[in-house]
């Protein structure tokens, strides 16, 4: 995916504004001696920005407009260290709403729908983002916020909500409650718009089947507007990303170089028209890939795959970038296996190798099973691991989250 002429012009405008504003990125540009961006080559020389830069700018150091133009701030949760504060102008809020409205439209949601919004309202971007898009679309928002399952279900029945917006874990909890209470016939839900947590195919199918609804994955992060910068369409072949507002790259997290379309790597985003806090080449640490080719829906907005993990979890085996999540997904596709597994990476005879330990019961041919798993990893991810199948109960269990990945190359 190449950067277009129009996008280059937009980036250049952002660069000029950042230099003039002299915020953290403006200073980076000056240090690097960059004054303008005319070509793709110029663009690829622009420095990356990181979450730490944003923390260092706390509280208002990201602001790239005079304060009278800022109408709102949002903040990412500061679980480690200082939070990040993102200032928005009226246009930023409006643009975000437009993007979110487009997400709903891609999910086939219309102004006749009633959208029950369960993500939280407040400093973070979740609830209010879903709300803005809903109002722009002209649909009816039921702004519940999180928790209070009793009331959620009451409103869902009485107001006949047709769309549920939730995290995957909350959607699953609601699905289970509905099942338990035997009230499925009173629920009018048709679609679910689910925040971009990492979630597996198994969980997705459970929510889908128990609620009997279509599911749409929405992507976004507070630093870049919030949720709503991309969503999958009805063909469910990856999330379309709104490239008229953002330019998205996939890089090799180790080298920082762009990888070819179709290969996995870290998502890096540049905002094209953001005013309050423009970000250039922001490293999200989310792992995905560009899906090559065109979508059946005819949309020309590029697509990315589901988020496969965080770049901090990445391993490089035989030159292929691998994430534990990808291995997990392959293993999960074998019903014969237990949920326990271990992945060991070692360096033998000048080559990285991966050994995968899995468990199954005695009724399965262990050798044949190992061969099938290795073949599936090869076809899905691109290298052949050594697979060892063991008897059920052999792998250690832990009350806490078990350690499953052992990188022995650096021990
Ligand atoms: Zn599509």
């Amino acid at each position: 995916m190449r950067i277009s002429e129009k996008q280059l012009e937009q980036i250049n405008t952002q660069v000029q504004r950042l230099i003039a504003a002299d915020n953290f990125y403006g200073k980076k540009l000056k240090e690097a001696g960059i004054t303008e961006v005319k070509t793709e080559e110029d663009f690829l020389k622009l420095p990356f920005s990181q979450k730490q830069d944003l923390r260092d700018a706390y509280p208002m150091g990201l602001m790239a407009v005079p304060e009278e133009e800022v109408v709102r701030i949002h903040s990412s949760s500061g679980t480690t260290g200082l939070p990040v504060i993102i200032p928005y102008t009226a246009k930023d809020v409006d643009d975000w709403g437009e993007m979110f409205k487009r997400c709903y439209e891609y999910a086939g949601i219309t102004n006749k729908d009633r959208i029950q919004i369960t993500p939280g309202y407040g400093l973070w971007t979740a609830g209010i983002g879903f709300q803005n898009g809903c109002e722009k679309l002209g649909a009816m928002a039921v702004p519940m916020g999180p928790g209070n399952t009793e009331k959620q279900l009451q409103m869902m029945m009485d107001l006949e909500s047709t769309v549920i917006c939730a995290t995957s874990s909350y959607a699953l909890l609601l699905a289970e409650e509905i099942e338990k209470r035997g009230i499925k016939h009173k629920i009018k839900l048709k679609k679910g718009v689910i925040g971009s947590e990492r979630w597996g195919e198994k969980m997705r199918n459970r929510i889908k089947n128990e609620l009997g609804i279509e599911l749409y994955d929405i992507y976004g992060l507070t630093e870049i507007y919030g949720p709503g910068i991309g969503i999958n369409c009805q063909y469910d072949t990856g999330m379309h990303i709104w490239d008229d507002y953002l330019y998205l790259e996939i890089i090799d997290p180790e080298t920082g170089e762009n990888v070819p379309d179709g290969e996995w790597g870290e998502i890096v985003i540049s905002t094209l028209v953001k005013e309050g806090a423009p970000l250039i080449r922001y490293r999200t640490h989310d792992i995905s890939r560009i899906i090559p080719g065109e979508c059946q829906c005819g949309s020309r907005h590029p697509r990315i795959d589901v988020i496969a993990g965080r770049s901090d979890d990445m391993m490089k085996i035989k030159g292929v970038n691998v994430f534990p999540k990808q291995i997990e997904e392959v293993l999960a596709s074998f019903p014969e296996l237990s949920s326990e597994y271990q992945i060991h990476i070692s360096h033998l005879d000048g080559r990285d190798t991966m050994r995968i330990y899995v468990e199954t019961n005695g009724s399965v041919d262990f050798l044949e099973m190992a061969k099938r798993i290795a073949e599936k990893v090869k076809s899905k991810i691109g290298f052949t691991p050594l697979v060892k199948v063991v008897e059920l109960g052999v792998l250690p269990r832990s009350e806490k989250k078990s350690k499953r990945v052992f990188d022995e190359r650096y021990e």
Side-chain angles (χ1 to χ4, degrees):
M1 196 173 69
R2 304 287 298 269
I3 190 163
S4 71
E5 283 300 316
K6 170 123 198 248
Q7 287 171 325
L8 276 171
E9 271 169 40
Q10 290 171 315
I11 293 280
N12 191 46
T13 306
Q14 295 273 38
V15 160
Q16 302 310 324
R17 291 185 52 241
L18 287 161
I19 292 172
D22 200 33
N23 79 348
F24 87 95
Y25 199 81
K27 289 196 172 77
K28 269 194 188 201
L29 290 167
K30 280 183 198 160
E31 277 164 29
I34 293 166
T35 54
E36 61 176 359
V37 177
K38 290 258 181 243
T39 63
E40 185 172 25
E41 219 183 343
D42 294 341
F43 173 77
L44 292 172
K45 281 187 196 135
L46 291 172
F48 290 112
S49 40
Q50 300 267 13
K51 184 114 178 187
Q52 192 56 47
D53 295 322
L54 276 48
R55 287 206 183 98
D56 293 344
Y58 183 84
M60 289 299 280
L62 286 180
M63 194 162 63
V65 290
E67 184 170 338
E68 54 270 31
E69 292 179 29
V70 172
V71 300
R72 185 200 283 182
I73 60 112
H74 281 294
S75 167
S76 68
S77 54
T79 43
T80 50
L82 285 172
V84 167
I85 306 280
I86 310 285
Y88 294 65
T89 65
K91 180 176 183 294
D92 293 338
V93 170
D94 196 58
D95 285 350
W96 181 23
E98 285 297 331
M99 283 190 275
F100 217 123
K101 173 179 172 229
R102 199 188 284 167
C103 287
Y104 284 134
E105 287 167 344
Y106 266 57
I109 296 164
T110 72
N111 60 5
K112 295 208 177 75
D113 278 297
R114 298 178 172 185
I115 304 180
Q116 186 156 338
I117 300 167
T118 72
Y121 287 75
L123 268 178
W124 49 94
T125 49
I128 203 165
F130 284 91
Q131 176 93 17
N132 274 347
C134 173
E135 288 176 1
K136 270 223 186 290
L137 183 69
M140 187 176 93
V142 184
M144 299 297 295
N148 203 346
T149 302
E150 201 66 44
K151 195 158 191 183
Q152 297 277 5
L153 295 175
Q154 195 63 48
M155 296 297 256
M156 199 180 280
M157 291 187 286
D158 296 349
L159 287 169
E160 304 187 342
S161 305
T162 55
V163 177
I164 180 83
C165 301
T167 61
S168 53
S169 39
Y170 197 56
L172 184 62
L173 187 144
L174 287 173
E176 284 169 348
E177 277 302 313
I178 288 166
E179 179 77 28
K180 207 162 38 178
R181 293 165 193 227
I183 53 172
K184 199 169 167 186
H185 62 287
K186 291 185 183 161
I187 301 292
K188 300 281 188 282
L189 291 180
K190 289 183 296 187
K191 292 163 201 264
V193 179
I194 307 295
S196 66
E197 281 173 280
R198 279 175 277 161
W199 53 322
E201 203 53 33
K202 272 189 179 169
M203 187 168 183
R204 203 169 196 274
N205 286 335
R206 268 182 74 196
I207 299 171
K208 213 155 120 177
N209 298 335
E210 285 192 20
L211 287 177
I213 57 175
E214 288 169 20
L215 289 183
Y216 293 87
D217 297 305
I218 204 153
Y219 183 58
L221 53 162
T222 301
E223 298 89 320
I224 313 282
Y225 296 99
I229 64 173
I231 195 168
N232 58 307
C233 66
Q234 53 170 319
Y235 293 98
D236 201 10
T237 55
M239 296 181 281
H240 288 283
I241 296 291
W242 314 136
D243 60 342
D244 41 353
Y245 293 91
L246 312 158
Y247 179 65
L248 185 141
E249 302 166 76
I250 304 287
I251 64 161
D252 181 322
E254 272 179 23
T255 65
E257 301 285 327
N258 275 238
V259 301
D261 288 0
E263 280 185 24
W264 294 86
E266 179 180 336
I267 300 174
V268 172
I269 300 177
S270 301
T271 61
L272 297 174
V273 291
K274 210 163 185 243
E275 297 179 336
L279 286 178
I280 304 288
R281 305 197 82 195
Y282 181 68
R283 293 189 59 161
T284 65
H285 292 279
D286 284 336
I287 295 299
S288 185
R289 65 185 185 113
I290 304 268
I291 296 176
E294 267 173 42
C295 183
Q296 274 172 280
C297 73
S299 164
R300 293 191 357 257
H301 293 292
R303 287 167 299 156
I304 58 170
D305 214 323
V306 289
I307 308 302
R310 301 281 299 165
S311 58
D312 323 297
D313 304 334
M314 191 187 78
M315 306 172 280
K316 200 164 203 146
I317 310 291
K318 299 178 184 175
V320 179
N321 289 338
V322 189
F323 306 93
K325 171 79 192 280
Q326 292 173 286
I327 304 283
E328 254 173 61
E329 287 283 309
V330 170
L331 298 179
S333 68
F334 291 94
E336 304 93 322
L337 300 177
S338 81
S339 58
E340 294 301 315
Y341 62 88
Q342 283 190 3
I343 299 168
H344 291 255
I345 304 128
S346 48
H347 198 73
L348 282 175
D349 306 325
R351 298 200 317 182
D352 290 337
T353 54
M354 179 185 284
R355 281 167 295 141
I356 302 173
Y357 294 89
V358 292
E359 283 183 347
T360 187
N361 63 41
S363 67
V364 174
D365 180 336
F366 283 13
L367 281 178
E368 189 266 344
M369 183 86 224
K371 196 167 158 247
R372 276 197 291 142
I373 294 169
E375 277 166 4
K376 191 143 186 190
V377 171
K378 169 77 180 162
S379 77
K380 289 263 174 193
I381 309 173
F383 73 99
T384 308
L386 297 166
V387 181
K388 181 108 176 115
V389 181
V390 298
E391 220 31 93
L392 210 59
V394 168
L395 295 175
R397 260 81 175 154
S398 159
E399 294 259 313
K400 286 177 279 164
K401 207 169 175 281
S402 307
K403 183 170 162 65
R404 300 181 192 282
V405 181
F406 300 83
D407 196 335
E408 294 153 2
R409 289 175 298 182
Y410 309 106
E411 282 171 5

